[in-house]
Every structure is written in structure tokens, then in C-alpha cells.
Amino acid sequence: MGGVKGFIEGGIASIVAGCSTHPLDLIKVRMQLQGEAQGPNAAAQNLRPSLAFQTNSTPSSTVHLRQATAARIGPVATGIRIFKTEGFRALFSGVSATVLRQTLYSTTRMGIYDILKHKWTDKETNTMPLASKILAGLIAGGIGAAVGNPADVAMVRMQADGRLPLSQRRNYTSVVDALARMTKQEGVTSLWRGSSMTVNRAMLVTASQLASYDQIKETILAKGWMKDGICTHVVASFSAGFVAAVVSNPVDVIKTRVMNMKVVLGQRPRYTGALDCAMKTVKAEGPMALYKGFIPTISRQGPFTVVLFVTLEQEIGGKRKRPNVKVSQALEKLHNYSKYRHNKTTAQKRF
């Protein structure tokens, strides 16, 4: 039953965190797609390169870079532009896919990590080596990503749809509609497009996020810097979110671009795979392009991890503090009955 509880508690906490930070995730996706041309075979050169490997410096390219520099915008400007051009509801585009993704992906990874954590924790010291935490995170993240990839693809596409010209938009009405149309138009395999990057990213995120949270929290308590409470949970979880963002951002950029890629029958796709996408991105936009959207990533990953672990700790802590109501009532009745019998017996002896 303990294992099932880990899945349920982790799933609830993840859904709450995912929905709370969805607009930040949408802004992150839009920024990660900056620099990518709209045409299926076009080179990604419509925005300013980040340390790009430029081989020529013609006047036309200089003009192009000047125009591109003005076009590149940050997270706040991206959010404002979405709000102005698409409306407030656009910030929650794909939220149904987020709920499904967290239900499949996060519930699985949190539950499996919890099982492995209990299994590999030393019963005497009640601690788990950092290497075991990282291994548990890699296993849990990989399995969770494989299960949740279809919802991940749908979420990325729904979030990115607003940046496309009206004629090219997919206009999915919900995550169910997205999955059904993808299966019908592109085949079942399209649901697992970019799955290798999803699995790799999930393994990195889960290992860095969950392992670093447990390790930082244990260190804080062991050193006596703070007591076990909500302040400790916030500090440990935000630190874990920062670690996860730094580790996973390059893989996340490639994953987003591969998943958002539009495949037309009879035409060569823009990317043949994750490695091809990474090489083309770095060549056209520079190595720092792999950290596009980092500010919204940490802005989202930090609060997401805080909400995730604080919610989870409150669920677990609340259940520890609260005894089962029915059991408590039964024990109270038994105590009162025993007291009544004792008083009655004492009164009979007096007479």
C-alpha cells in the first residue's frame, strides 16, 4: 500500500505544480523555438546567433543580423506579446496536456523513485547514498518519460501553436484531439517523436531534482542550519530546481524543436533526429542557443519544484500528524468503556 501511496501523493503534487507554472512553461517553449525558421527546410537564421559559427561577413548578412537583434526578445516581452496578440487564455494553451503529462510522467517517476528510495535506504542510519539517489532518479525518470511521451508531444505542440502563421496552425482543441489527430495524420509512432530526448531529459531532471532535494535537505538538517519545516523544504526544493534547470536545459531545447517539427509526407523533415537537430542548432545559432529559454526555465523549474515538494511534504507530514479518524474514535470509545467498567467495579467493591 505504501508504494501506491507514493504514486498518488507524487501525482497530486505534480499536477498542482504543473498547472500552477504552466504559463512559464509556455513562455519557455516559445523562447526555445526562437531562431527556428517557419519553413520545413529553412535554416534557423531568422534571429541573432548566440556565438554562432559564421563563415562570412557580407553586408547583407550584417543587415540581417541587425534586424535579427531587434527581433530577439526576452521572457517578459514574450509573455506580454502572447497576452497582447493571443489573449490571456493563450498563456494556458495546452494545460489539458500538462495535466495528462503530469498524471502519466510525474506520477510514474515519483512513485518509482519512492519505491526505490524505501528499498535502498539504510534501515539503521535511515539514509541513502547520493549515488543510489542519482541511480534511482535515472531509472524513475526514464520509465516515466517513456510512459508520458505522447502527452509531452501534444503539450509542446499546443504551446507552440500560437507562434505559427494562421494557415499553418494545428488548432488542437484538447489533448485528446491532439493525440487522435496525430495518430490519424502522422501515425502512432508520432506519439513517441523525440522520445530519446524526452527519456534523456527526464533521467537528468529526475536524478538532479529528486536526488539533490533529498541530499540538500539531509545536509541542512544534519548541520542544524534549519529545523524540518516549510522553510527547509522551500530552500531545498528551489536549490534542486536550479540544479535541474542547469543540467536539463540543452536537452530540453533539442526535445522541444524535434517534437514541434512538422512532418509532411513526401518532404524531407527538418531534422533527422536529436543529434542532427543539436548540430544544426549549434551551427546556425551558436552553442549558447542550447540555453535559450533558461530564464523562464529556472523561473518555471524553481516554483514548480517548490510547489511539488512543499505539497508532497505537507501531504506526507499531514498524514503523519493526523491519526485515522475512525481508529481514533474506536480507541476513545474503548478507553471510555474501560474507564466505565473500572469505576463500576470499584463502586461495587465499596458496597
Side-chain angles (χ1 to χ4, degrees):
M1 189 66 186
V4 175
K5 249 177 21 176
F7 282 90
I8 295 172
E9 289 169 351
I12 292 172
S14 298
I15 291 169
V16 171
C19 291
S20 302
T21 59
H22 184 82
L24 292 171
D25 194 45
L26 185 140
I27 292 171
K28 176 205 74 173
V29 167
R30 295 287 182 93
M31 289 190 69
Q32 287 176 341
L33 292 171
Q34 282 185 7
E36 197 178 42
Q38 303 295 337
N41 299 315
Q45 294 175 339
N46 60 328
L47 295 179
R48 182 187 60 173
S50 306
L51 302 180
F53 303 123
Q54 298 296 321
T55 55
N56 55 9
S57 180
T58 61
S60 60
S61 66
T62 305
V63 173
H64 170 79
L65 288 178
R66 282 177 187 160
Q67 293 173 341
T69 303
R72 192 173 182 180
I73 59 175
V76 175
T78 300
I80 292 172
R81 187 172 71 177
I82 293 170
F83 177 76
K84 285 184 175 180
T85 58
E86 302 173 50
F88 176 77
R89 290 182 62 182
L91 293 171
F92 287 89
S93 297
V95 72
S96 60
T98 292
V99 173
L100 180 61
R101 177 178 179 268
Q102 298 300 339
T103 302
L104 297 175
Y105 160 61
S106 289
T107 299
T108 303
R109 73 176 182 128
M110 296 294 287
I112 293 175
Y113 182 81
D114 187 63
I115 291 172
L116 295 176
K117 181 179 173 182
H118 281 88
K119 190 172 183 178
W120 294 346
T121 296
D122 191 306
K123 299 297 185 290
E124 295 181 1
T125 61
N126 199 34
T127 58
M128 182 178 173
L130 179 59
S132 298
K133 292 173 185 172
I134 293 173
L135 180 59
L138 291 172
I139 294 171
I143 296 172
V147 172
N149 200 81
D152 209 350
V153 177
M155 183 185 73
V156 167
R157 290 189 173 195
M158 292 174 77
Q159 289 177 334
D161 211 36
R163 69 183 284 274
L164 297 173
L166 290 173
S167 60
Q168 295 180 25
R169 291 184 186 179
R170 299 178 174 103
N171 295 317
Y172 297 135
T173 56
S174 68
V175 64
V176 176
D177 178 54
L179 296 175
R181 284 171 56 186
M182 283 165 60
T183 303
K184 185 177 179 181
Q185 296 169 3
E186 303 172 49
V188 178
T189 55
S190 66
L191 300 179
W192 274 271
R193 181 169 295 146
S195 58
S196 62
M197 298 305 296
T198 306
V199 170
N200 289 332
R201 176 191 175 275
M203 291 172 72
L204 292 173
V205 168
T206 306
S208 57
Q209 186 186 64
L210 302 187
S212 60
Y213 174 79
D214 282 340
Q215 193 68 26
I216 293 167
K217 179 185 169 186
E218 285 176 11
T219 303
I220 290 173
L221 297 177
K223 298 287 185 182
W225 294 335
M226 292 182 184
K227 293 182 179 179
D228 190 4
I230 193 165
C231 290
T232 302
H233 303 157
V234 170
V235 171
S237 56
F238 191 85
S239 302
F242 180 81
V243 173
V246 172
V247 170
S248 66
N249 203 88
V251 183
D252 200 26
V253 171
I254 305 305
K255 175 186 79 76
T256 297
R257 293 190 172 196
V258 171
M259 284 184 170
N260 188 57
M261 175 176 62
K262 193 168 187 177
V263 178
V264 180
L265 291 175
Q267 293 186 18
R268 186 180 178 182
R270 181 183 299 166
Y271 309 120
T272 57
L275 183 60
D276 180 55
C277 178
M279 291 177 68
K280 285 180 178 177
T281 299
V282 171
K283 185 178 179 181
E285 303 167 59
M288 290 307 294
L290 297 177
Y291 273 92
K292 278 187 175 181
F294 179 75
I295 298 301
T297 294
I298 187 59
S299 300
R300 182 253 178 193
Q301 192 70 258
F304 176 90
T305 310
V306 170
V307 174
L308 171 66
F309 285 113
V310 169
T311 304
L312 191 58
E313 292 280 9
Q314 293 305 307
E315 285 178 5
I316 296 170
K319 287 177 182 177
R320 282 177 185 159
K321 292 173 185 175
R322 284 196 313 269
N324 186 290
V325 177
K326 291 183 180 179
V327 173
S328 299
Q329 290 175 347
L331 289 172
E332 188 178 356
K333 286 181 180 179
L334 183 61
H335 174 72
N336 291 336
Y337 179 72
S338 299
K339 191 175 178 181
Y340 164 75
R341 292 283 297 176
H342 174 73
N343 292 339
K344 187 176 181 182
T345 304
T346 303
Q348 287 175 348
K349 284 182 180 179
R350 286 178 183 173
F351 290 101

